[in-house]
Amino acid sequence: MNIVLLLAGGIGSRMGQDIPKQFIHVNNRPVIIYTLSVLQEHPEIDRIVVSCIDGWEKVLAGYAEQFGITKLTDIVPGGGTRYDSTRRAMETVWDAADEDVVIVHDSVRPLVPPECLSDTIRVCRMEGNSMAILDCADTMYARTAEGYTSEVVERANLVRGQTPEAVTGRRMREMYAAADAKGVHLDSISAMQNVLGWDIHFAKGSERNIKLTRVEDMKTMKALNLYGVNDLRYDDVPVPQPQAGEVLLRVRACGICGSDVPRVFTKGTYHFPTIIGHEFAGEVAWAEDASLVGRRASVFPLLPCGTCPACQTGHYAQCSHYGYYGSRQDGGMAEYLAVKKENLCFLPEGVSYEAAAMNEPAAVALHALKKSGAGLGQTLLIYGVGTIALLIAQWARSAGVRHVILAARSAEKVAFAKRLGFEESYDVTREDLGAIVAAATNGAGADVCIEGTGASEGLEACLWNARAFGTVVTLGNPQGAMTLTQDGYWKILRKELCLLGTWNSSYQAMENDWKDALAGMQAHQITPEAIITHRYALAQHAEAFSLMHEKKELYGKVMFVL
């Protein structure tokens, strides 16, 4: 059995409110109910005991009934200290079996991820105790009583502890027996065991598992939070608190990337829950530098480590240890996001939020075109008619490319491309692409071919239709194994083709595709808004993702507008 002892015995004086902080309402629910709901829904939690502040027991019981918290079996009076509250709750489960796991958690940590609870249980079952921890990412200093420091503490040796923390039933009884014998009465069961000389075993913590102690911690926002594969929720979460070097961005528009669809329905993110979205723009709502407040910006979503060989040369897209807004950490499908100041791309006059939310695909498209070398008077074949392919076509047109040939696989996509002004768009399931390219080039073949689908068929077509000594650029993310026929491989050899890969975009002082893309939008070299076909509010996320996942109708860029 896994039993949670939820500590709700404190007042929360730093809140400056008339009621205990765990009973403050956020969006019509008390904070403690958010925490209890996480525990109620967790499949491994069997029983909940709450150590409640005196006089609020009946209130809590009423809320538990109202919100269906059926795992709550006991409400016991809290004590004058955290130690007292914990001990009183422990005494309620004193007869727990030796192998039972007894978990202590704060009622004002309502955002504890389910996987943190699971890992706390797993480690405790193996080792007898556990504590959720986080590595220290910030530089740490030792502070003197005089208010200055002369010592940096090596952060690699430090971790931050948080609840949940746990002991087995047997360890619980041994711990209090030993502590009573030595007169040890500490607030944290982990700290108490540590003083007793027992090792504490680490479980997975979470940056999102914050403890609500101040009024500003209570500010919430709406976000699309991915709790697991095929479990995307329109959620209430705390407004993020910017750290050193960060600003708070009020998101105004966020596009759904094609990669977000498998991220939601099949692949997931690197941890759960994660607020998804990496194509977004907004305005600075708070910054340490007040001159930045109110400025409009898009955000480069990649967070380079800054130390690997690629980062040392400014090739951040090839970073070995990068972070990424929207997949490796929270992203832009939310009302607010704390972002690194150096990742802001300030918008020039006349560029809308919706256009700026397409800064990422526009920069990727520009980077691919630059790599290809396609230019004035040449012929460019683009296999695929997705958002990035259409943006490449726009960039190519502005660069003076003579023939921009788009190869689609449906009449609807051909019609859409033609509405954007690309008359040389063809449905290759009905028309002979080789004959089309030959007619446009007097039989020579395209100077440059860009494969944008990530499919073997597209790569093969590009190799066949490139001219001798031409260039083939691979852009599309592969959907599976990429294979070539023997004749297709011969084309690379006999025509001495230049085969290039392109990945993401450049974001450095010497070459910045993001700033170049924004300048191109301002100069009307490209018109990203023309590709947007559907606009939704975040609350309409199910409809938006269903449209793309089930391909219910033709779409270009699908955009959330906030």
Side-chain angles (χ1 to χ4, degrees), residues 503-526:
W503 181 248
N504 210 307
S505 54
S506 294
Y507 188 83
Q508 54 170 295
M510 296 295 291
E511 182 183 11
N512 195 312
D513 297 321
W514 282 67
K515 292 182 179 179
D516 290 347
L518 290 174
M521 294 178 198
Q522 185 184 38
H524 304 292
Q525 291 176 287
I526 61 170

Side-chain angles (χ1 to χ4, degrees), residues 42-281:
H42 198 290
E44 295 176 76
I45 303 301
D46 302 299
R47 179 184 174 190
I48 304 169
V49 176
V50 176
S51 181
C52 183
I53 188 168
D54 187 45
W56 287 82
E57 296 92 342
K58 289 184 178 180
V59 175
L60 176 58
Y63 283 140
E65 182 178 359
Q66 177 184 351
F67 292 102
I69 310 299
T70 58
K71 292 181 181 178
L72 177 60
T73 61
D74 299 270
I75 301 174
V76 301
T81 66
R82 182 185 179 89
Y83 170 84
D84 293 333
S85 294
T86 305
R87 179 112 190 209
R88 290 182 181 183
M90 289 266 184
E91 288 170 353
T92 305
V93 298
W94 199 253
D95 59 351
D98 284 353
E99 68 276 9
D100 286 348
V101 174
V102 181
I103 305 152
V104 176
H105 188 57
D106 295 312
S107 64
V108 288
R109 290 187 186 269
L111 300 175
V112 57
E115 64 266 26
C116 288
L117 289 162
S118 294
D119 203 51
T120 299
I121 293 168
R122 179 188 65 82
V123 174
C124 186
R125 286 204 178 279
M126 290 191 334
E127 306 292 349
N129 67 23
S130 60
M131 176 178 64
I133 63 99
L134 290 169
D135 292 329
C136 284
D138 300 314
T139 304
M140 308 300 291
Y141 298 91
R143 182 170 59 185
T144 66
E146 292 78 13
Y148 64 87
T149 185
S150 59
E151 180 185 354
V152 177
V153 181
E154 177 51 57
R155 65 186 180 188
N157 298 325
L158 299 175
V159 295
R160 291 183 286 147
Q162 54 183 203
T163 64
E165 53 184 347
V167 288
T168 60
R170 177 179 180 179
R171 178 61 65 90
M172 171 184 67
R173 290 181 285 271
E174 292 174 343
M175 174 184 68
Y176 279 114
D180 288 346
K182 294 185 177 183
V184 176
H185 301 116
L186 298 179
D187 286 347
S188 163
I189 62 171
S190 296
M192 191 152 59
Q193 291 173 88
N194 185 255
V195 170
L196 292 173
W198 300 351
D199 292 337
I200 307 301
H201 300 276
F202 295 157
K204 178 166 56 178
S206 171
E207 291 286 358
R208 295 191 63 248
N209 184 25
I210 64 171
K211 185 176 182 180
L212 305 180
T213 57
R214 305 164 298 168
V215 172
E216 49 265 40
D217 293 334
M218 305 295 289
K219 295 178 181 177
T220 64
M221 64 178 185
K222 293 293 187 180
L224 296 187
N225 218 357
L226 187 64
Y227 280 81
V229 172
N230 204 21
D231 187 10
L232 184 63
R233 305 179 194 177
Y234 182 54
D235 221 354
D236 291 299
V237 300
V239 173
Q241 301 298 311
Q243 303 301 307
E246 292 182 333
V247 306
L248 185 65
L249 190 78
R250 174 67 167 95
V251 179
R252 296 298 185 184
C254 184
I256 303 179
C257 177
S259 65
D260 287 324
V261 177
R263 192 167 284 128
V264 169
F265 291 102
T266 57
K267 294 182 178 180
T269 49
Y270 288 82
H271 58 81
F272 298 116
T274 304
I275 298 171
I276 58 173
H278 61 270
E279 300 179 4
F280 58 97

Side-chain angles (χ1 to χ4, degrees), residues 17 33 39 43 51 142 169 215 233 235 265 295 306 310 319 334 345 401 417 435-436 458 464 466-467 483 508 537 544:
Q17 302 293 309
I33 288 298
L39 303 176
S51 181
V215 172
R233 305 179 194 177
D235 221 354
F265 291 102
R295 294 193 65 180
C319 173
C345 295
V401 173
I436 291 165
W464 279 80
R467 68 167 174 81
T483 59
Q508 54 170 295

